[in-house]
């Protein structure tokens, strides 16, 4: 996982995707897909943490790994000119481009929290012990949504 973190740090530094220069439309579809897949995994995990769903350690561990991997991919979807005012069907506020340092900081925080959380899950901690790291990760999602994701 360290590998991903390094790749992402380089990526954020250069603000361009590693594999290819993304077409703006593809980039929007990509980031929405990544976040949807993230929510797909993160939602049930939250329900388990809160006791609304029985805790399944194996499913939970799988979810934590997936969220960490998806988090490492998310930066690639944020290329120039893909905000709301650019005419895309998106909830991305245009400020992301003018506040890149801050936006990238929130992104890096999420990636680090997801890594840390996945590591703790891998250590075999139980639901109670995982609660703080889960909360930290969820908070990192919210920090960015509050500032850069427009309401539905
Ligand atoms: C650095 C900013 C940032 C962080 C961190 C972040 N998000 Fe998002 N998220 C966004 C933006 C911006 C959108 C809207 C994307 C769009 O519409 O193009 C979004 C959209 C979403 C969506 C809706 C996807 C869709 O199109 O249906 C979900 C679900 C989501 N995020 C979950 C999460 C979760 C879970 C985390 C934390 C583990 C997280 N996000 C962290 C910025 C962020």
């Amino acid at each position: 996982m360290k590998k991903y973190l390094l790749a992402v740090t380089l990526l954020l530094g250069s603000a361009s995707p590693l594999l290819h220069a993304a077409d703006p439309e593809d980039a929007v579809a990509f980031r929405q897909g990544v976040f949807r897949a993230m929510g797909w995994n993160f939602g049930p995990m939250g329900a388990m943490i809160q006791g609304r769903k029985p805790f399944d350690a194996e499913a939970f561990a799988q979810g934590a790994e997936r969220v960490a991997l998806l988090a490492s991919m998310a930066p690639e979807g944020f290329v120039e000119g893909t905000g709301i005012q650019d005419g895309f069907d998106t909830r991305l506020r245009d400020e992301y481009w003018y506040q890149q340092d801050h936006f990238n900081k929130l992104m890096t925080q999420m990636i680090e929290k997801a890594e840390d959380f996945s590591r703790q899950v891998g250590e075999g901690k139980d639901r109670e012990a995982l609660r703080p790291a889960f909360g930290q990760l969820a908070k990192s999602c919210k920090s960015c949504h509050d500032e850069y994701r427009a309401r539905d």
Side-chain angles (χ1 to χ4, degrees), residues 50-82:
Q50 289 163 9
R52 287 184 283 116
K53 219 173 148 58
F55 188 77
D56 176 339
E58 205 176 319
F60 197 86
Q62 186 188 52
E65 265 185 40
R66 286 175 171 181
V67 168
L69 185 59
L70 288 162
S72 77
M73 295 185 226
E76 291 173 46
F78 291 89
V79 300
E80 186 174 10
T82 58

PDB file of all heavy atoms in Angstrom, residues 50-82:
ATOM      1  N   GLN A  50     -21.802   0.796  13.441  1.00  0.00           N
ATOM      2  CA  GLN A  50     -22.863   1.361  14.289  1.00  0.00           C
ATOM      3  C   GLN A  50     -23.791   0.297  14.869  1.00  0.00           C
ATOM      4  O   GLN A  50     -24.737   0.626  15.589  1.00  0.00           O
ATOM      5  CB  GLN A  50     -23.682   2.367  13.476  1.00  0.00           C
ATOM      6  CG  GLN A  50     -22.919   3.645  13.167  1.00  0.00           C
ATOM      7  CD  GLN A  50     -23.552   4.437  12.033  1.00  0.00           C
ATOM      8  OE1 GLN A  50     -24.658   4.112  11.578  1.00  0.00           O
ATOM      9  NE2 GLN A  50     -22.869   5.472  11.567  1.00  0.00           N
ATOM     10  N   GLY A  51     -23.562  -0.968  14.483  1.00  0.00           N
ATOM     11  CA  GLY A  51     -24.387  -2.048  15.028  1.00  0.00           C
ATOM     12  C   GLY A  51     -25.757  -2.182  14.370  1.00  0.00           C
ATOM     13  O   GLY A  51     -26.637  -2.868  14.877  1.00  0.00           O
ATOM     14  N   ARG A  52     -25.930  -1.517  13.210  1.00  0.00           N
ATOM     15  CA  ARG A  52     -27.189  -1.670  12.480  1.00  0.00           C
ATOM     16  C   ARG A  52     -27.173  -2.922  11.618  1.00  0.00           C
ATOM     17  O   ARG A  52     -28.170  -3.305  11.022  1.00  0.00           O
ATOM     18  CB  ARG A  52     -27.438  -0.430  11.596  1.00  0.00           C
ATOM     19  CG  ARG A  52     -27.831   0.818  12.365  1.00  0.00           C
ATOM     20  CD  ARG A  52     -28.163   1.969  11.442  1.00  0.00           C
ATOM     21  NE  ARG A  52     -26.980   2.607  10.880  1.00  0.00           N
ATOM     22  CZ  ARG A  52     -26.679   2.622   9.583  1.00  0.00           C
ATOM     23  NH1 ARG A  52     -27.476   2.042   8.720  1.00  0.00           N
ATOM     24  NH2 ARG A  52     -25.589   3.222   9.159  1.00  0.00           N
ATOM     25  N   LYS A  53     -25.990  -3.520  11.527  1.00  0.00           N
ATOM     26  CA  LYS A  53     -25.790  -4.730  10.732  1.00  0.00           C
ATOM     27  C   LYS A  53     -24.810  -5.600  11.520  1.00  0.00           C
ATOM     28  O   LYS A  53     -23.895  -5.058  12.139  1.00  0.00           O
ATOM     29  CB  LYS A  53     -25.126  -4.303   9.405  1.00  0.00           C
ATOM     30  CG  LYS A  53     -25.582  -5.005   8.158  1.00  0.00           C
ATOM     31  CD  LYS A  53     -24.918  -4.282   6.980  1.00  0.00           C
ATOM     32  CE  LYS A  53     -24.625  -5.167   5.866  1.00  0.00           C
ATOM     33  NZ  LYS A  53     -25.119  -5.948   5.062  1.00  0.00           N
ATOM     34  N   PRO A  54     -25.000  -6.934  11.522  1.00  0.00           N
ATOM     35  CA  PRO A  54     -24.060  -7.775  12.273  1.00  0.00           C
ATOM     36  C   PRO A  54     -22.635  -7.617  11.743  1.00  0.00           C
ATOM     37  O   PRO A  54     -22.449  -7.491  10.538  1.00  0.00           O
ATOM     38  CB  PRO A  54     -24.565  -9.203  12.003  1.00  0.00           C
ATOM     39  CG  PRO A  54     -25.880  -9.090  11.347  1.00  0.00           C
ATOM     40  CD  PRO A  54     -26.043  -7.706  10.826  1.00  0.00           C
ATOM     41  N   PHE A  55     -21.679  -7.590  12.651  1.00  0.00           N
ATOM     42  CA  PHE A  55     -20.280  -7.403  12.255  1.00  0.00           C
ATOM     43  C   PHE A  55     -19.748  -8.687  11.628  1.00  0.00           C
ATOM     44  O   PHE A  55     -19.707  -9.732  12.267  1.00  0.00           O
ATOM     45  CB  PHE A  55     -19.437  -7.004  13.470  1.00  0.00           C
ATOM     46  CG  PHE A  55     -18.032  -6.603  13.110  1.00  0.00           C
ATOM     47  CD1 PHE A  55     -17.778  -5.356  12.560  1.00  0.00           C
ATOM     48  CD2 PHE A  55     -16.974  -7.476  13.313  1.00  0.00           C
ATOM     49  CE1 PHE A  55     -16.484  -4.975  12.215  1.00  0.00           C
ATOM     50  CE2 PHE A  55     -15.676  -7.099  12.970  1.00  0.00           C
ATOM     51  CZ  PHE A  55     -15.433  -5.846  12.428  1.00  0.00           C
ATOM     52  N   ASP A  56     -19.333  -8.588  10.374  1.00  0.00           N
ATOM     53  CA  ASP A  56     -18.759  -9.717   9.647  1.00  0.00           C
ATOM     54  C   ASP A  56     -17.304  -9.358   9.358  1.00  0.00           C
ATOM     55  O   ASP A  56     -17.018  -8.554   8.473  1.00  0.00           O
ATOM     56  CB  ASP A  56     -19.564  -9.923   8.351  1.00  0.00           C
ATOM     57  CG  ASP A  56     -18.975 -11.017   7.466  1.00  0.00           C
ATOM     58  OD1 ASP A  56     -17.777 -11.341   7.604  1.00  0.00           O
ATOM     59  OD2 ASP A  56     -19.732 -11.533   6.615  1.00  0.00           O
ATOM     60  N   ALA A  57     -16.387  -9.932  10.129  1.00  0.00           N
ATOM     61  CA  ALA A  57     -14.974  -9.529  10.072  1.00  0.00           C
ATOM     62  C   ALA A  57     -14.382  -9.684   8.676  1.00  0.00           C
ATOM     63  O   ALA A  57     -13.604  -8.842   8.223  1.00  0.00           O
ATOM     64  CB  ALA A  57     -14.164 -10.327  11.081  1.00  0.00           C
ATOM     65  N   GLU A  58     -14.767 -10.757   7.999  1.00  0.00           N
ATOM     66  CA  GLU A  58     -14.179 -11.025   6.686  1.00  0.00           C
ATOM     67  C   GLU A  58     -14.655  -9.988   5.661  1.00  0.00           C
ATOM     68  O   GLU A  58     -13.854  -9.412   4.918  1.00  0.00           O
ATOM     69  CB  GLU A  58     -14.587 -12.423   6.228  1.00  0.00           C
ATOM     70  CG  GLU A  58     -13.624 -13.035   5.244  1.00  0.00           C
ATOM     71  CD  GLU A  58     -14.028 -14.462   4.907  1.00  0.00           C
ATOM     72  OE1 GLU A  58     -14.426 -15.198   5.829  1.00  0.00           O
ATOM     73  OE2 GLU A  58     -13.967 -14.821   3.722  1.00  0.00           O
ATOM     74  N   ALA A  59     -15.951  -9.740   5.633  1.00  0.00           N
ATOM     75  CA  ALA A  59     -16.515  -8.750   4.707  1.00  0.00           C
ATOM     76  C   ALA A  59     -15.966  -7.359   5.033  1.00  0.00           C
ATOM     77  O   ALA A  59     -15.661  -6.566   4.148  1.00  0.00           O
ATOM     78  CB  ALA A  59     -18.037  -8.759   4.793  1.00  0.00           C
ATOM     79  N   PHE A  60     -15.829  -7.102   6.315  1.00  0.00           N
ATOM     80  CA  PHE A  60     -15.334  -5.796   6.760  1.00  0.00           C
ATOM     81  C   PHE A  60     -13.890  -5.575   6.287  1.00  0.00           C
ATOM     82  O   PHE A  60     -13.545  -4.509   5.783  1.00  0.00           O
ATOM     83  CB  PHE A  60     -15.422  -5.722   8.289  1.00  0.00           C
ATOM     84  CG  PHE A  60     -15.333  -4.324   8.818  1.00  0.00           C
ATOM     85  CD1 PHE A  60     -16.472  -3.536   8.912  1.00  0.00           C
ATOM     86  CD2 PHE A  60     -14.131  -3.806   9.232  1.00  0.00           C
ATOM     87  CE1 PHE A  60     -16.395  -2.238   9.398  1.00  0.00           C
ATOM     88  CE2 PHE A  60     -14.046  -2.512   9.726  1.00  0.00           C
ATOM     89  CZ  PHE A  60     -15.181  -1.734   9.807  1.00  0.00           C
ATOM     90  N   ALA A  61     -13.061  -6.625   6.435  1.00  0.00           N
ATOM     91  CA  ALA A  61     -11.657  -6.527   6.017  1.00  0.00           C
ATOM     92  C   ALA A  61     -11.559  -6.318   4.510  1.00  0.00           C
ATOM     93  O   ALA A  61     -10.742  -5.524   4.020  1.00  0.00           O
ATOM     94  CB  ALA A  61     -10.893  -7.779   6.438  1.00  0.00           C
ATOM     95  N   GLN A  62     -12.401  -7.016   3.786  1.00  0.00           N
ATOM     96  CA  GLN A  62     -12.398  -6.858   2.334  1.00  0.00           C
ATOM     97  C   GLN A  62     -12.782  -5.417   1.960  1.00  0.00           C
ATOM     98  O   GLN A  62     -12.162  -4.789   1.106  1.00  0.00           O
ATOM     99  CB  GLN A  62     -13.380  -7.840   1.697  1.00  0.00           C
ATOM    100  CG  GLN A  62     -13.313  -7.829   0.180  1.00  0.00           C
ATOM    101  CD  GLN A  62     -14.412  -8.651  -0.449  1.00  0.00           C
ATOM    102  OE1 GLN A  62     -15.586  -8.473  -0.142  1.00  0.00           O
ATOM    103  NE2 GLN A  62     -14.035  -9.569  -1.310  1.00  0.00           N
ATOM    104  N   GLY A  63     -13.806  -4.907   2.636  1.00  0.00           N
ATOM    105  CA  GLY A  63     -14.261  -3.546   2.381  1.00  0.00           C
ATOM    106  C   GLY A  63     -13.172  -2.525   2.669  1.00  0.00           C
ATOM    107  O   GLY A  63     -12.953  -1.588   1.901  1.00  0.00           O
ATOM    108  N   ALA A  64     -12.457  -2.713   3.766  1.00  0.00           N
ATOM    109  CA  ALA A  64     -11.402  -1.757   4.152  1.00  0.00           C
ATOM    110  C   ALA A  64     -10.287  -1.723   3.115  1.00  0.00           C
ATOM    111  O   ALA A  64      -9.782  -0.655   2.763  1.00  0.00           O
ATOM    112  CB  ALA A  64     -10.845  -2.134   5.524  1.00  0.00           C
ATOM    113  N   GLU A  65      -9.922  -2.891   2.603  1.00  0.00           N
ATOM    114  CA  GLU A  65      -8.881  -2.957   1.572  1.00  0.00           C
ATOM    115  C   GLU A  65      -9.337  -2.270   0.305  1.00  0.00           C
ATOM    116  O   GLU A  65      -8.588  -1.537  -0.341  1.00  0.00           O
ATOM    117  CB  GLU A  65      -8.562  -4.419   1.243  1.00  0.00           C
ATOM    118  CG  GLU A  65      -7.385  -4.952   2.002  1.00  0.00           C
ATOM    119  CD  GLU A  65      -7.013  -6.359   1.563  1.00  0.00           C
ATOM    120  OE1 GLU A  65      -7.057  -6.639   0.349  1.00  0.00           O
ATOM    121  OE2 GLU A  65      -6.707  -7.172   2.445  1.00  0.00           O
ATOM    122  N   ARG A  66     -10.579  -2.527  -0.062  1.00  0.00           N
ATOM    123  CA  ARG A  66     -11.111  -1.927  -1.284  1.00  0.00           C
ATOM    124  C   ARG A  66     -11.175  -0.406  -1.175  1.00  0.00           C
ATOM    125  O   ARG A  66     -10.809   0.301  -2.113  1.00  0.00           O
ATOM    126  CB  ARG A  66     -12.518  -2.457  -1.551  1.00  0.00           C
ATOM    127  CG  ARG A  66     -12.535  -3.883  -2.053  1.00  0.00           C
ATOM    128  CD  ARG A  66     -13.975  -4.305  -2.152  1.00  0.00           C
ATOM    129  NE  ARG A  66     -14.142  -5.580  -2.808  1.00  0.00           N
ATOM    130  CZ  ARG A  66     -15.331  -6.126  -3.020  1.00  0.00           C
ATOM    131  NH1 ARG A  66     -16.427  -5.510  -2.619  1.00  0.00           N
ATOM    132  NH2 ARG A  66     -15.434  -7.286  -3.625  1.00  0.00           N
ATOM    133  N   VAL A  67     -11.636   0.083  -0.036  1.00  0.00           N
ATOM    134  CA  VAL A  67     -11.758   1.534   0.139  1.00  0.00           C
ATOM    135  C   VAL A  67     -10.374   2.182   0.041  1.00  0.00           C
ATOM    136  O   VAL A  67     -10.212   3.227  -0.599  1.00  0.00           O
ATOM    137  CB  VAL A  67     -12.459   1.883   1.473  1.00  0.00           C
ATOM    138  CG1 VAL A  67     -12.325   3.370   1.788  1.00  0.00           C
ATOM    139  CG2 VAL A  67     -13.935   1.492   1.402  1.00  0.00           C
ATOM    140  N   ALA A  68      -9.358   1.544   0.624  1.00  0.00           N
ATOM    141  CA  ALA A  68      -8.001   2.107   0.572  1.00  0.00           C
ATOM    142  C   ALA A  68      -7.495   2.151  -0.872  1.00  0.00           C
ATOM    143  O   ALA A  68      -6.889   3.140  -1.306  1.00  0.00           O
ATOM    144  CB  ALA A  68      -7.054   1.301   1.450  1.00  0.00           C
ATOM    145  N   LEU A  69      -7.772   1.095  -1.606  1.00  0.00           N
ATOM    146  CA  LEU A  69      -7.318   1.046  -2.997  1.00  0.00           C
ATOM    147  C   LEU A  69      -8.065   2.098  -3.830  1.00  0.00           C
ATOM    148  O   LEU A  69      -7.455   2.822  -4.623  1.00  0.00           O
ATOM    149  CB  LEU A  69      -7.550  -0.360  -3.569  1.00  0.00           C
ATOM    150  CG  LEU A  69      -7.012  -0.609  -4.975  1.00  0.00           C
ATOM    151  CD1 LEU A  69      -5.502  -0.388  -5.037  1.00  0.00           C
ATOM    152  CD2 LEU A  69      -7.341  -2.028  -5.432  1.00  0.00           C
ATOM    153  N   LEU A  70      -9.371   2.186  -3.639  1.00  0.00           N
ATOM    154  CA  LEU A  70     -10.175   3.172  -4.380  1.00  0.00           C
ATOM    155  C   LEU A  70      -9.729   4.595  -4.031  1.00  0.00           C
ATOM    156  O   LEU A  70      -9.649   5.455  -4.907  1.00  0.00           O
ATOM    157  CB  LEU A  70     -11.660   2.980  -4.074  1.00  0.00           C
ATOM    158  CG  LEU A  70     -12.302   1.728  -4.694  1.00  0.00           C
ATOM    159  CD1 LEU A  70     -13.606   1.386  -3.989  1.00  0.00           C
ATOM    160  CD2 LEU A  70     -12.521   1.910  -6.187  1.00  0.00           C
ATOM    161  N   ALA A  71      -9.436   4.816  -2.761  1.00  0.00           N
ATOM    162  CA  ALA A  71      -8.992   6.153  -2.331  1.00  0.00           C
ATOM    163  C   ALA A  71      -7.727   6.545  -3.092  1.00  0.00           C
ATOM    164  O   ALA A  71      -7.571   7.690  -3.517  1.00  0.00           O
ATOM    165  CB  ALA A  71      -8.741   6.173  -0.829  1.00  0.00           C
ATOM    166  N   SER A  72      -6.838   5.570  -3.292  1.00  0.00           N
ATOM    167  CA  SER A  72      -5.574   5.871  -3.984  1.00  0.00           C
ATOM    168  C   SER A  72      -5.799   6.248  -5.446  1.00  0.00           C
ATOM    169  O   SER A  72      -4.953   6.875  -6.070  1.00  0.00           O
ATOM    170  CB  SER A  72      -4.611   4.678  -3.883  1.00  0.00           C
ATOM    171  OG  SER A  72      -4.989   3.647  -4.783  1.00  0.00           O
ATOM    172  N   MET A  73      -6.941   5.853  -5.994  1.00  0.00           N
ATOM    173  CA  MET A  73      -7.225   6.152  -7.415  1.00  0.00           C
ATOM    174  C   MET A  73      -7.954   7.474  -7.604  1.00  0.00           C
ATOM    175  O   MET A  73      -7.934   8.049  -8.696  1.00  0.00           O
ATOM    176  CB  MET A  73      -8.115   5.060  -8.004  1.00  0.00           C
ATOM    177  CG  MET A  73      -7.498   3.700  -8.075  1.00  0.00           C
ATOM    178  SD  MET A  73      -8.673   2.616  -8.922  1.00  0.00           S
ATOM    179  CE  MET A  73      -8.641   1.210  -7.848  1.00  0.00           C
ATOM    180  N   ALA A  74      -8.646   7.913  -6.560  1.00  0.00           N
ATOM    181  CA  ALA A  74      -9.544   9.068  -6.691  1.00  0.00           C
ATOM    182  C   ALA A  74      -8.891  10.320  -7.290  1.00  0.00           C
ATOM    183  O   ALA A  74      -9.515  10.992  -8.119  1.00  0.00           O
ATOM    184  CB  ALA A  74     -10.188   9.386  -5.339  1.00  0.00           C
ATOM    185  N   PRO A  75      -7.635  10.664  -6.932  1.00  0.00           N
ATOM    186  CA  PRO A  75      -7.056  11.914  -7.445  1.00  0.00           C
ATOM    187  C   PRO A  75      -7.041  11.999  -8.967  1.00  0.00           C
ATOM    188  O   PRO A  75      -7.148  13.081  -9.535  1.00  0.00           O
ATOM    189  CB  PRO A  75      -5.621  11.898  -6.899  1.00  0.00           C
ATOM    190  CG  PRO A  75      -5.651  11.000  -5.727  1.00  0.00           C
ATOM    191  CD  PRO A  75      -6.711   9.975  -6.001  1.00  0.00           C
ATOM    192  N   GLU A  76      -6.932  10.852  -9.630  1.00  0.00           N
ATOM    193  CA  GLU A  76      -6.819  10.866 -11.094  1.00  0.00           C
ATOM    194  C   GLU A  76      -8.048  11.438 -11.789  1.00  0.00           C
ATOM    195  O   GLU A  76      -7.978  11.865 -12.941  1.00  0.00           O
ATOM    196  CB  GLU A  76      -6.564   9.447 -11.611  1.00  0.00           C
ATOM    197  CG  GLU A  76      -5.200   8.928 -11.234  1.00  0.00           C
ATOM    198  CD  GLU A  76      -5.013   7.459 -11.608  1.00  0.00           C
ATOM    199  OE1 GLU A  76      -5.354   7.066 -12.731  1.00  0.00           O
ATOM    200  OE2 GLU A  76      -4.540   6.704 -10.744  1.00  0.00           O
ATOM    201  N   GLY A  77      -9.186  11.422 -11.100  1.00  0.00           N
ATOM    202  CA  GLY A  77     -10.414  11.900 -11.723  1.00  0.00           C
ATOM    203  C   GLY A  77     -10.603  13.407 -11.658  1.00  0.00           C
ATOM    204  O   GLY A  77     -11.576  13.938 -12.197  1.00  0.00           O
ATOM    205  N   PHE A  78      -9.669  14.104 -11.002  1.00  0.00           N
ATOM    206  CA  PHE A  78      -9.856  15.550 -10.802  1.00  0.00           C
ATOM    207  C   PHE A  78      -8.928  16.364 -11.699  1.00  0.00           C
ATOM    208  O   PHE A  78      -7.982  16.976 -11.240  1.00  0.00           O
ATOM    209  CB  PHE A  78      -9.670  15.893  -9.322  1.00  0.00           C
ATOM    210  CG  PHE A  78     -10.780  15.334  -8.471  1.00  0.00           C
ATOM    211  CD1 PHE A  78     -10.690  14.057  -7.935  1.00  0.00           C
ATOM    212  CD2 PHE A  78     -11.942  16.062  -8.261  1.00  0.00           C
ATOM    213  CE1 PHE A  78     -11.735  13.525  -7.183  1.00  0.00           C
ATOM    214  CE2 PHE A  78     -12.988  15.540  -7.514  1.00  0.00           C
ATOM    215  CZ  PHE A  78     -12.884  14.275  -6.973  1.00  0.00           C
ATOM    216  N   VAL A  79      -9.225  16.328 -12.983  1.00  0.00           N
ATOM    217  CA  VAL A  79      -8.415  17.078 -13.937  1.00  0.00           C
ATOM    218  C   VAL A  79      -9.044  18.457 -14.169  1.00  0.00           C
ATOM    219  O   VAL A  79     -10.197  18.700 -13.791  1.00  0.00           O
ATOM    220  CB  VAL A  79      -8.261  16.307 -15.274  1.00  0.00           C
ATOM    221  CG1 VAL A  79      -7.587  14.968 -15.036  1.00  0.00           C
ATOM    222  CG2 VAL A  79      -9.598  16.106 -15.945  1.00  0.00           C
ATOM    223  N   GLU A  80      -8.297  19.312 -14.813  1.00  0.00           N
ATOM    224  CA  GLU A  80      -8.749  20.695 -15.034  1.00  0.00           C
ATOM    225  C   GLU A  80     -10.015  20.749 -15.895  1.00  0.00           C
ATOM    226  O   GLU A  80     -10.188  19.953 -16.816  1.00  0.00           O
ATOM    227  CB  GLU A  80      -7.627  21.481 -15.733  1.00  0.00           C
ATOM    228  CG  GLU A  80      -7.952  22.956 -15.873  1.00  0.00           C
ATOM    229  CD  GLU A  80      -6.777  23.754 -16.437  1.00  0.00           C
ATOM    230  OE1 GLU A  80      -5.794  23.146 -16.890  1.00  0.00           O
ATOM    231  OE2 GLU A  80      -6.871  24.999 -16.407  1.00  0.00           O
ATOM    232  N   GLY A  81     -10.879  21.694 -15.560  1.00  0.00           N
ATOM    233  CA  GLY A  81     -12.030  21.959 -16.420  1.00  0.00           C
ATOM    234  C   GLY A  81     -13.147  20.946 -16.315  1.00  0.00           C
ATOM    235  O   GLY A  81     -13.870  20.707 -17.281  1.00  0.00           O
ATOM    236  N   THR A  82     -13.330  20.326 -15.156  1.00  0.00           N
ATOM    237  CA  THR A  82     -14.387  19.315 -15.019  1.00  0.00           C
ATOM    238  C   THR A  82     -15.330  19.632 -13.864  1.00  0.00           C
ATOM    239  O   THR A  82     -15.940  18.741 -13.281  1.00  0.00           O
ATOM    240  CB  THR A  82     -13.784  17.897 -14.828  1.00  0.00           C
ATOM    241  OG1 THR A  82     -12.942  17.902 -13.663  1.00  0.00           O
ATOM    242  CG2 THR A  82     -12.984  17.465 -16.033  1.00  0.00           C
TER     243      THR A  82
END
